[in-house]
Amino acid sequence: MKDTETIGLIGGGQMGEALIRGMINSGLTTAGRIMAAEPADSRREFLSSTYHIKATDTAEEICNFASILILAVKPQIMQSVLAQYKPFMGSEHLIISIAAGVPIGALEQGIGKLRIIRVMPNTPALVLAGASALSPNARASAEDLELGMEIFSAIGTCVHLPENLLDAVTGLSGSGPGYIFTFIEAMIDGGVLAGIPRPVAEQLVLQTVYGSAKLALETGKPPAALKAMVTSPGGTTIAGIHALEEAGLRGTVMSAVDRATIRSKELGV
C-alpha cells in the first residue's frame, strides 16, 4: 500500500475493529492513516484509545480524510448510510463494502457508479486469520483490485471471485465461524459427558481443532486422506464417525451453508 493511502472505516463494530487491528498488526498501514466513523461516543473513544486511530461522527470529515472508504455497517441500514455519505463521496475514493448480501448494484444505486469492491470477510480477521472473497465493479481498476487483495490478505487469506458467488461465500466462510464454534461447544460438552473436567475438555478440543486445520493447510492433503490417517479399522474414530453419519452431520452442515446463502440473497434484495 502506498504511503499516501488513507483508510476510513464507516462503522466501528466487530468487523470494523477486526480490520483496524489486522491492518495495524500486519504492518500494512499505521494507526495515523486510519479513521473510523462511529455514532456511539463510547465506541469512538474505545477505538481511539485502544488502537490510537482517529475517530469521528461526521461523514464529511472521514470522506475528506480517507482515500479508501470501507463500508462496515449492517446490511439493513446500508441504504440510509449511503444516502448520508453520498454528498461527500467522489471519484477520488475507492469504496469497499463488507456488508453481507448487499450487491454492487445496490451500492451503485445508492452512491453512483464509483470505484467499488464488494468483499465478504469473516471474524477470524480479528486474529489475522480471516477468509475473504472480493469482487470489483467495472469501474474499479486492476490497481484497485490489487489494493483490495492486499488489505484483506493482510488479515488472513483472500480470493477473487465473480460477484454471483459472494452470497455462497457468505454462507460458507462468512457464517462458517458460527458453525465451527457450535461444533467446538458440542465437542467440549461431549468431553464433559465422558467425565473430563470442562476446562481440560476445552483445552483439548481447541487444540484439536487448531491442529487439524493446521495439518490440512500445511500438508495440502484432502480432508478424506487426513481422516483416513486417524481412522483405523474397527477403531474408536470410525465408531465416532459412524455416530456422526447416523445423525446426518454432512447433510446438516451442507444445509446450513445453503440456508445461510439463501438468507444472504434475501438481505440483498
Side-chain angles (χ1 to χ4, degrees):
M1 179 181 292
K2 298 176 182 177
D3 291 341
T4 55
E5 301 284 8
T6 47
I7 298 172
L9 272 295
I10 299 173
Q14 187 176 19
M15 277 309 306
E17 182 181 354
L19 283 164
I20 292 167
R21 182 175 178 182
M23 288 187 291
I24 293 173
N25 287 1
S26 68
L28 179 65
T29 190
T30 61
R33 290 158 58 191
I34 300 175
M35 178 182 287
E38 168 61 42
D41 293 346
S42 59
R43 188 64 179 167
R44 285 199 310 276
E45 292 169 5
F46 169 79
L47 293 172
S48 181
S49 61
T50 302
Y51 299 103
H52 308 292
I53 66 167
K54 300 175 177 65
T56 183
D57 61 352
T58 68
E60 184 175 9
E61 184 176 1
I62 195 168
C63 290
N64 287 338
F65 170 85
S67 57
I68 303 166
L69 292 168
I70 301 178
L71 297 163
V73 299
K74 294 183 183 301
Q76 295 89 338
I77 65 169
M78 178 61 82
Q79 289 305 318
S80 63
V81 170
L82 294 180
Q84 179 186 356
Y85 278 82
K86 181 179 179 179
F88 310 107
M89 290 179 171
S91 59
E92 71 275 17
H93 294 118
L94 171 61
I95 312 299
I96 299 176
S97 170
I98 62 171
V102 180
I104 290 173
L107 298 172
E108 291 178 336
Q109 185 176 7
I111 56 174
K113 293 186 178 181
L114 303 180
R115 296 147 53 215
I116 297 173
I117 296 176
R118 178 185 169 193
V119 186
M120 187 60 233
N122 62 8
T123 53
L126 187 61
V127 291
L128 306 187
S132 305
L134 58 74
S135 182
N137 73 348
R139 289 181 178 263
S141 66
E143 184 179 356
D144 292 332
L145 177 59
E146 184 178 351
L147 185 55
M149 292 288 291
E150 188 177 6
I151 291 172
F152 288 89
S153 293
I155 56 171
T157 188
C158 185
V159 297
H160 174 205
L161 288 174
E163 190 188 10
N164 66 343
L165 291 179
L166 290 194
D167 287 314
V169 171
T170 301
L172 182 65
S173 56
S175 301
Y179 316 149
I180 301 300
F181 295 139
T182 300
F183 182 74
I184 287 172
E185 185 180 31
M187 280 193 69
I188 292 170
D189 285 344
V192 174
L193 179 64
I196 301 173
R198 185 169 293 276
V200 178
E202 182 174 343
Q203 180 182 359
L204 291 172
V205 170
L206 290 176
Q207 184 62 33
T208 298
V209 172
Y210 168 76
S212 299
K214 184 177 174 67
L215 185 64
L217 283 169
E218 294 190 1
T219 64
K221 292 183 178 180
L226 294 172
K227 183 184 72 172
M229 289 169 55
V230 72
T231 310
S232 303
T236 60
T237 304
I238 193 62
I241 291 173
H242 182 239
L244 294 175
E245 295 289 7
E246 282 186 320
L249 176 69
R250 291 173 189 259
T252 299
V253 172
M254 292 168 68
S255 293
V257 174
D258 186 57
R259 192 77 58 84
T261 300
I262 292 170
R263 181 56 179 155
S264 177
K265 293 177 180 178
E266 290 172 349
L267 290 172
V269 174

